[in-house]
Amino acid sequence: FHITPSDGYIPCLCETCKAFRDSCGPEVINLEEELVWTTIIKIANAVGRTFPDCYISVSGYGPLGAPPIQKIPANIFVGPTATTGPYSEFRADMMKEELEVLDWWSKAITPKQYGGFYHYPVRACWEEGRYFWHKSICGSIPRAFASCYQRYAGTGLGTYCYLLSHRIAYDHLNIYVFYKYHWNPNRDIDALLDEYYTLFYGPASSQMKNFWEEVETKFREVLQLDESTSGTYPSVRNPAEVWEKVYSRKVITHWQGYFIEAARLAQKNEDPVYAKRVAYMKRNVLETIEEGMIASAQASVKGVSTQSF
């Protein structure tokens, strides 16, 4: 049975819960976690007496995001814990926080009690009718995915990666590397990506490799990490900086040069599939990024905010 508070947890203010919080000593840093864990541990102990071969599972985030001070019974299985995932590859301080979370859990439970992870590399994605940021920002970061899941290898049972791509072209390399590294985390990322570029783009592989490698570099420039009371979280830089400094006209023109040469080389090949793939990526990635840059420039002239257009 899975017992976990819903997303958007609201602390209970009844007299019993107030009394519990008041009774906690200074050693209890996370009052809400301790309160919710206490309830779940009571349930697990009661279930264990009657059904010794059964488990209670929980999700390790929200009010269960940190282990309790009290011992977690052996019949509690901690399912996915929410950690930063691939974005933590961009900043040492974020990775430090992530490793601390994993260290907490490793000391609180046994490997048999540990599930996997929730990851949310979604700063350039779509959810519930809205963009997390502008739809022209392409969050293709396959190298970050590779290094992240190589680092996670051997911990937990897998990952639920929450993407919700605006366009599959944006995230196809992320998804490809995600599955490849969960199957075999000891891969060489250079060999894996070179194989992809060669097989997918044929004679245009060199130009398309240059483009995608630079897209990942530029997204690292787009992303910034902000501090809040709940820790470090990823966000996107000021729109003016994104469109004037990162995705500038100079950068777009440079990338257009790659596609012009890629199309020329692909069209020479007797197999038309390579030219079709180059054209697909041009239409669904490069031209979409360019649309954002142009719309930003027009909005700037009119004095309109470009954050959510």
Side-chain angles (χ1 to χ4, degrees), residues 41-176:
I41 288 171
K42 286 181 180 179
I43 295 170
N45 287 335
V47 168
R49 287 192 289 270
T50 306
F51 303 100
D53 296 327
C54 293
Y55 276 82
I56 298 296
S57 67
V58 300
S59 294
Y61 69 95
L64 295 172
I69 291 178
Q70 56 197 299
K71 182 176 174 57
I72 299 177
N75 66 338
I76 289 182
F77 180 81
V78 179
T81 57
T83 54
T84 304
Y87 286 167
S88 67
E89 303 303 307
F90 300 156
R91 281 273 296 272
D93 51 352
M94 179 173 277
M95 187 181 293
K96 181 175 180 291
E97 281 188 15
E98 192 170 278
L99 293 174
E100 287 174 352
V101 170
L102 298 180
D103 187 54
W104 286 346
W105 288 113
S106 67
K107 294 175 180 176
I109 53 180
T110 67
K112 290 183 178 180
Q113 291 178 269
Y114 202 34
F117 306 97
Y118 281 135
H119 286 161
Y120 302 85
V122 293
R123 288 299 92 186
C125 293
W126 167 272
E127 181 182 45
E128 298 174 358
R130 66 185 177 90
Y131 294 103
F132 279 95
W133 207 257
H134 194 275
K135 65 181 180 181
S136 293
I137 294 175
C138 179
S140 180
I141 50 172
R143 290 186 177 277
F145 268 70
S147 56
C148 172
Y149 294 113
Q150 198 163 47
R151 182 163 53 85
Y152 268 81
T155 305
L157 300 178
T159 314
Y160 177 88
C161 192
Y162 193 85
L163 279 175
L164 296 177
S165 308
H166 166 58
R167 290 182 177 172
I168 192 64
Y170 281 11
D171 277 306
H172 76 289
L173 274 175
N174 292 341
I175 297 167
Y176 181 64

Side-chain angles (χ1 to χ4, degrees), residues 20 27-41 58 63-73 76 78 104-105 107-109:
F20 177 89
E27 73 280 1
V28 179
I29 299 173
N30 303 302
L31 288 175
E32 289 308 308
E33 281 91 340
E34 202 68 28
L35 188 155
V36 177
W37 271 115
T38 296
T39 302
I40 290 175
I41 288 171
V58 300
L64 295 172
I69 291 178
Q70 56 197 299
K71 182 176 174 57
I72 299 177
I76 289 182
V78 179
W104 286 346
W105 288 113
K107 294 175 180 176
I109 53 180

Side-chain angles (χ1 to χ4, degrees), residues 194-209 262 265-267 269 271 273-275 277-278:
D194 283 345
E195 179 186 56
Y196 158 77
Y197 296 126
T198 300
L199 296 178
F200 202 75
Y201 300 109
S205 61
S206 179
Q207 288 71 28
M208 297 306 296
K209 175 181 179 178
L265 293 171
Q267 287 167 0
N269 194 280
D271 190 339
V273 70
Y274 300 121
R277 290 170 179 170
V278 170

